[in-house]
Amino acid sequence: MSQGKHASPEPELPEPARSTVGGGLASVAARGSTWGTAQATVNKAATAASMLLVACFLSPSQMGVATLAIAVSGFLVPFPPIVMGDVLVGLETTGARSRRLAARIAMRHATAMAALSLALAWPIAAAFPDAPTLLLAMLIGLLGAKPLAEALSIGSLTRLRVAFSYRAIAIADGATQLAATAATAVMAVAGAGPLAIVLPQAVGFFAKAAWYRVAAKRLPAEARDDADPKERSGDAGRLAKSFRTAATAQYIHNLVFAIAPPLLGLLSDAEATGYYAFAFMLATQATVVIGSQLVVVLQPVLSRLNGDPNRQSEAYARVITVLCAIAVPVSLLQVAFAEPLFALLFRPKWDGAFLPFLVLSVSQSFYVVVSPTIALMKARARFGTFLYWQGAHLLIAALCYSAGAYWGGALGVAIADLAVWAVSAPAAMFLSTRGTTVGAWRCFRALIAPCAASVPLAIASGAAAHQLTAVGPAGALAALLLVAPIAAVFALAATKWTQPAAWEEVKPLLARLSARFRGR
C-alpha cells in the first residue's frame, strides 16, 4: 500500500459508518470500542465470579495442567488462521473473491495444524513429568481444533469488520464467552478438574464461528459487496505470502504469552505454573476490559487513513493517550488493593500467587499500549516490522523467563515479564511512529505522565488498605468497597490537572457514559 505525502480527503464510509454521530472515523472507532468494552465488562464480571469457584474447587496444580495445555496448543499453531482477516483488511482486498481465496488458504493450514496437534499431543504431554500424561494429551488434542474454527470464521468476520458492524461482533464474542465461563463454573463445581477450563473454550470456538456466519448474512447488501476493484489474478499468491509473514509474526506474539507456563513446567513444577497462571488471569482483568478488541476495531479504521500517515499516527497517539491515562492508574491501584483482595478471597490456598500478581499488575501498565501498536502495524500492512519486533521480544523473553523460572519460580517469571515489556513496549511505539510528524516522545510521555499522580496515590491507598486489612475481614471488605472506589475517582480527577491533553480526550468518553447511565 502506498502512503502519500499529502493529506487525502476523508474516505467514503459504508452505510453503517455514515449512520454514526458525525459520520467520521473517530465516531466509528468510539462506537466499536464502546461495544467491545461493554461486552468485555460484562464477561469480566462473570469471569471474576467464575474464578472464585475455580479457586475454590481447583488446586494450583490442576490450574497449572490446564494452563500448560493452553500454552502448548499455542506452540502447535505456527500459522494462526484468524490472522488472514487482518491480511485482507490490511491489503484492502475484502471482496467476495478474496474472501473465498483467503478461506481456502486458511483452511489448508488449519487442517494441517489440527492433525499436528493430535499427532504430537501424547509425546509432548509425556515430556512434563509433573503433569498427568493422559489428561494433558487429551486437553492438547481438544484445543487443537481451534485453528479449524478460526478458518471457518475468516469470511464472515472480515465482512463484519469492514462493515464496522462491531455490535454484532461484540454480541457474538460476549455471548459465547459468557456461556463458556458459565460452563467452566458449573464443571469446576462438579469436579471436572482441568477439563472445566479447557472444554468450554474448545466448544466456544465453533459456536463463535457459527454466530459470525449468521450475523454476516444479515448485513445489508451494500455491506456485503461481491465486487472489489483491488482484486486481481495474482491475489492467491499475494494473500498466501502476506499471510505467512503476518501469521508468523502473530505466532511469535502468541508464543510470548505461551512460553512462560511450559518453562515453569519444565524448570519448576505444576504448582508454580498454577500460581503464575492464576496471578496472570487476575492481573489482566482490568486492562483486558480497557483494551478489548482494539485490534479488531482500530485496524479497519486506521487502514482508511493509509494515504496520510501523519493523520494515522496522530489518531494512534490519541488512542495511546486515552488508554494510558486510564490503564496506568488502574494497574497501580490493583497493586495497592491486592492485600485485602487476597486476604478476603484467596488465602491461604493461593498465597503463592500474591507476589506474582503484584509484579504482573505493574507490567500491565506497559502492555496496555501493545494492542493499538499492533493495530497500527497491521493497518499499514507492516507485517515484517511486526515479525522482527516480536521475534526479538521472544528471544529475550525466553532467556529471561528461563532464568526466572529456574531461580524464582512464578515470581521470577513475573519479574522477567515486567522487565521485558518495560523495554519492548516503548520500542514498539518508536517503530510505529518513526518517519511521521508524531514523535515517539509524545507516546512515551503518554505512558510516563500518568505515573506522576498514580504512584503517590497508590502508595497512600496501599497503606490505608494494609491498615484496614489488619483489622480483619470487615476491614478488608471496607478497603475494597469504600477506599478503592474513592481512590479510583481521585486518580481520574488527577488526570485533569496532571495531563490536560489526556483529559480532553477522556472527557467526551465520560460524557457518553454518563448519558448512557441517564438513559439518553
Side-chain angles (χ1 to χ4, degrees):
M1 284 179 300
S2 63
Q3 293 182 343
K5 295 182 180 179
H6 303 288
S8 60
E10 188 74 12
E12 184 70 15
L13 298 177
E15 188 64 32
R18 284 198 297 267
S19 64
T20 59
V21 178
L25 292 172
S27 61
V28 174
R31 184 184 65 167
S33 298
T34 299
W35 276 107
T37 302
Q39 70 88 2
T41 302
V42 172
N43 273 289
K44 289 308 171 185
T47 299
S50 176
M51 284 180 65
L52 290 177
L53 294 176
V54 168
C56 291
F57 291 94
L58 266 69
S59 67
S61 60
Q62 288 177 318
M63 174 74 78
V65 169
T67 304
L68 191 58
I70 294 171
V72 168
S73 69
F75 277 83
L76 298 176
V77 186
F79 297 103
I82 198 67
V83 177
M84 183 59 88
D86 296 329
V87 172
L88 289 172
V89 174
L91 295 178
E92 298 181 271
T93 55
T94 55
R97 180 175 177 274
S98 292
R99 292 197 304 265
R100 287 193 295 268
L101 283 172
R104 285 199 295 269
I105 295 170
M107 183 54 72
R108 286 200 299 269
H109 285 81
T111 303
M113 289 181 290
L116 181 68
S117 295
L118 290 176
L120 296 182
W122 183 271
I124 291 175
F128 294 91
D130 201 41
T133 302
L134 179 60
L135 176 60
L136 182 57
M138 181 177 66
L139 297 178
I140 293 172
L142 280 172
L143 291 167
K146 181 181 180 180
L148 297 173
E150 288 187 351
L152 290 172
S153 68
I154 294 298
S156 53
L157 180 56
T158 300
R159 288 159 68 182
L160 292 169
R161 290 177 68 185
V162 297
F164 299 111
S165 187
Y166 297 121
R167 179 177 182 271
I169 296 174
I171 291 175
D173 291 353
T176 53
Q177 185 58 47
L178 189 62
T181 300
T184 292
V186 171
M187 292 179 67
V189 173
L195 194 64
I197 296 176
V198 172
L199 182 59
Q201 298 298 324
V203 175
F205 300 147
F206 289 93
K208 190 185 298 185
W211 201 313
Y212 287 152
R213 181 162 296 192
V214 172
K217 289 181 179 178
R218 294 175 178 173
L219 289 174
E222 60 269 23
R224 295 187 285 110
D225 70 88
D226 289 338
D228 192 332
K230 293 180 179 292
E231 293 177 347
R232 55 181 186 266
S233 59
D235 271 346
R238 186 168 62 128
L239 281 174
K241 181 179 179 181
S242 297
F243 171 66
R244 285 192 293 270
T245 303
T248 302
Q250 185 64 48
Y251 175 63
I252 294 174
H253 180 68
N254 294 345
L255 292 189
V256 167
F257 298 97
I259 196 172
L263 287 175
L264 280 166
L266 291 171
L267 300 175
S268 188
D269 53 41
E271 191 172 66
T273 308
Y275 285 141
Y276 179 84
F278 190 74
F280 186 84
M281 289 171 62
L282 276 179
T284 58
Q285 293 302 303
T287 49
V288 166
V289 171
I290 294 168
S292 63
Q293 294 197 344
L294 268 175
V295 175
V296 173
V297 172
L298 284 178
Q299 188 198 349
V301 174
L302 293 176
S303 293
R304 297 298 183 98
L305 297 174
N306 272 327
D308 189 346
N310 290 328
R311 284 181 65 204
Q312 194 180 52
S313 295
E314 175 66 27
Y316 164 76
R318 292 176 65 187
V319 171
I320 290 290
T321 299
V322 173
L323 278 178
C324 291
I326 299 173
V328 171
V330 167
S331 299
L332 295 179
L333 288 178
Q334 282 184 184
V335 177
F337 293 97
E339 186 178 6
L341 176 69
F342 272 75
L344 196 62
L345 301 176
F346 303 126
R347 282 183 177 167
K349 186 177 182 180
W350 294 96
D351 278 349
F354 178 70
L355 291 178
F357 171 74
L358 298 183
V359 177
L360 290 171
S361 293
V362 177
S363 182
Q364 293 306 298
S365 299
F366 294 96
Y367 179 73
V368 72
V369 304
V370 172
S371 290
T373 302
I374 292 174
L376 180 60
M377 289 182 179
K378 289 183 175 180
R380 292 176 172 173
R382 292 179 61 184
F383 302 121
T385 303
F386 184 25
L387 172 61
Y388 297 139
W389 163 46
Q390 285 298 277
H393 182 113
L394 179 61
L395 178 61
I396 296 170
L399 296 173
C400 295
Y401 290 1
S402 296
Y406 184 77
W407 280 296
L411 178 59
V413 174
I415 293 173
D417 182 81
L418 171 58
V420 173
W421 280 117
V423 175
S424 181
M429 290 192 294
F430 170 76
L431 291 172
S432 298
T433 55
R434 185 178 55 182
T436 68
T437 56
V438 177
W441 173 243
R442 176 176 171 184
C443 296
F444 297 160
R445 189 169 63 245
L447 185 60
I448 297 169
C451 296
S454 300
V455 170
L457 181 61
I459 293 173
S461 300
H466 174 73
Q467 295 297 325
L468 286 170
T469 304
V471 174
L477 188 63
L480 294 175
L481 298 183
L482 297 178
V483 181
I486 293 173
V489 170
F490 271 100
L492 188 61
T495 303
K496 182 176 181 179
W497 307 109
T498 61
Q499 305 166 77
W503 176 254
E504 290 303 314
E505 300 288 353
V506 173
K507 188 165 59 174
L509 299 179
L510 295 178
R512 182 179 288 114
L513 288 173
S514 176
R516 287 185 183 276
F517 279 120
R518 293 198 303 269
R520 288 172 51 185

